[in-house]
Amino acid sequence: MQHSLLKGLNKVEQIANYSKARRFLNNPIKYTFAIAFKKLFYPFLKKEKVVFTRTFFGGNMQIALPASTDIYLTGGKSHPSEIRLAKFLVRNLKPMDTFIDIGAHYGYFSLLANEVMEQKGNIFSFEPSPNTYKLLKHNAALVKNINAIQQAVSNKEERIEFYEFPNLYAEYNTIDVNQFQQEDWFAAYAPKKQEVQAITIDQLVIQEKIMPSIIKIDVEGAEYKVIEGAAQFLQSNSPKIAMEYVAPHRGNKEHTKAHHSLLEMGYTAYLIDKDGYLQSIANINAYLEDEHLESDNIVYSKSLK
């Protein structure tokens, strides 16, 4: 199973690295449709197109274009950091594990985790955005082990303000909209303010009687609140944390606070290498700047055993 999934991810990476002409030749009909929709129709209509596609691990998935054009054309999330994160999950999740997916979007990593765990694990997928959650709920219904939850994960159990962008920028849905107000696209694709319920990890593990082995965090500025709301559990337990960490020039105050909080609880930070293994990292900010990266997925672990 692990070998076939890693082979599939290598194929996703290969297609992602094709030239435009090669990607077109790989699947002319899908490529023409996806690119035409993104470049010609979406800027005018500003409305997403919901489609079905096949993932590299063999399952059907409902997505919306243009946000998930990469999944539509390659079978997986194709940014290098996402490919490496997928490889990490493939190498580390096991049957009967519990995986928490915070910021699950349409459920790609949740569906992959279910496949890695041979449909024998337990998955909690959190997505507060109403439009995004609709597709997550549909995809979760295709398998029995994914619990799709339309809530934010934070440091308190309360109602909070949440901002949902139009589909093209849905990856930036956030509780802190100020971080994007200077972007060129912001005026044309302003978000809608929503009110959503928040829960903490400390509450979740007690409520559901679970012991997660891996927690994935992709929350666009709410990182420290997620960690703060998990402090009681993390101080006495050792799940691995896979957290998106943005570069200093993008404003990573909350990531830095989360990072130091995890270090104080006995965690060590690691990069994920091209094969999905962990490599220790001393200075994440310097690494991101030296490599000219906007962001990367950093894994925190108390032990590599």
Side-chain angles (χ1 to χ4, degrees):
M1 171 68 76
Q2 185 181 104
H3 175 75
S4 63
L5 290 173
L6 291 172
K7 186 177 179 181
L9 276 166
N10 287 335
K11 181 63 176 177
V12 170
E13 188 171 24
Q14 182 182 29
I15 297 172
N17 290 330
Y18 283 167
S19 65
K20 290 181 180 179
R22 184 80 182 275
R23 287 200 294 271
F24 169 77
L25 292 173
N26 184 64
N27 197 321
I29 296 175
K30 291 186 75 172
Y31 182 83
T32 300
F33 172 73
I35 300 304
F37 182 81
K38 182 176 182 179
K39 300 294 186 181
L40 300 177
F41 296 99
Y42 185 79
F44 176 71
L45 299 172
K46 292 186 179 177
K47 186 174 182 179
E48 67 270 20
K49 175 69 174 177
V50 175
V51 297
F52 283 94
T53 194
R54 191 86 171 159
T55 62
F56 79 90
F57 46 90
N60 289 315
M61 184 178 180
Q62 193 176 60
I63 60 170
L65 301 176
S68 292
T69 299
D70 58 343
I71 299 177
Y72 186 67
L73 295 179
T74 71
K77 295 183 77 67
S78 62
H79 189 279
S81 66
E82 293 167 325
I83 290 174
R84 287 185 276 106
L85 174 58
K87 289 181 178 180
F88 165 76
L89 295 178
V90 169
R91 292 195 182 280
N92 287 273
L93 284 171
K94 300 175 179 61
M96 307 309 295
D97 276 353
T98 295
F99 173 62
I100 300 179
D101 189 356
I102 304 173
H105 203 240
Y106 301 144
Y108 169 77
F109 284 111
S110 294
L111 291 168
L112 173 59
N114 183 63
E115 188 69 18
V116 174
M117 295 188 286
E118 300 176 12
Q119 296 81 42
K120 298 175 183 177
N122 201 9
I123 301 163
F124 291 82
S125 306
F126 288 89
E127 180 51 58
S129 304
N131 287 334
T132 306
Y133 176 76
K134 289 177 185 177
L135 298 190
L136 171 63
K137 183 179 180 181
H138 178 275
N139 289 324
L142 300 176
V143 296
K144 65 179 181 179
N145 298 326
I146 298 178
N147 305 280
I149 304 166
Q150 191 185 353
Q151 291 183 347
V153 178
S154 189
N155 59 347
K156 295 178 182 178
E157 184 179 7
E158 60 183 0
R159 300 289 292 180
I160 62 173
E161 290 183 351
F162 188 85
Y163 294 86
E164 183 176 39
F165 286 99
N167 180 263
L168 183 60
Y169 296 98
E171 64 182 290
Y172 298 134
N173 292 341
T174 182
I175 63 169
D176 178 19
V177 74
N178 294 325
Q179 61 185 308
F180 301 115
Q181 287 184 342
Q182 302 306 312
E183 298 291 340
D184 294 339
W185 49 264
F186 185 86
Y189 295 94
K192 292 181 180 179
K193 184 168 71 172
Q194 315 277 350
E195 188 176 272
V196 300
Q197 181 63 38
I199 189 173
T200 70
I201 293 298
D202 284 340
Q203 293 166 322
L204 177 72
V205 296
I206 293 171
Q207 176 182 303
E208 300 293 338
K209 298 181 175 61
I210 56 173
M211 185 66 66
S213 56
I214 297 178
I215 301 173
K216 169 194 155 276
I217 303 172
D218 184 357
V219 290
E220 301 299 326
E223 292 75 16
Y224 180 63
K225 287 187 175 182
V226 172
I227 297 303
E228 192 177 21
Q232 183 175 339
F233 177 72
L234 297 180
Q235 285 168 354
S236 55
N237 297 281
S238 306
K240 290 181 173 63
I241 310 292
M243 184 179 79
E244 185 189 42
Y245 195 112
V246 304
H249 70 269
R250 283 187 54 187
N252 65 4
K253 180 180 178 182
E254 297 304 305
H255 303 79
T256 301
K257 288 165 62 178
H259 168 81
H260 288 297
S261 180
L262 286 166
L263 296 186
E264 290 172 1
M265 287 186 277
Y267 279 90
T268 300
Y270 298 89
L271 299 178
I272 308 172
D273 70 17
K274 64 182 180 63
D275 297 313
Y277 295 107
L278 300 183
Q279 306 292 336
S280 61
I281 175 72
N283 189 325
I284 301 171
N285 286 341
Y287 157 74
L288 293 172
E289 291 183 329
D290 290 346
E291 298 296 323
H292 305 290
L293 297 175
E294 292 287 313
S295 65
D296 205 346
N297 288 298
I298 304 298
V299 172
Y300 293 84
S301 177
K302 291 184 181 180
S303 172
L304 290 184
K305 296 181 181 179

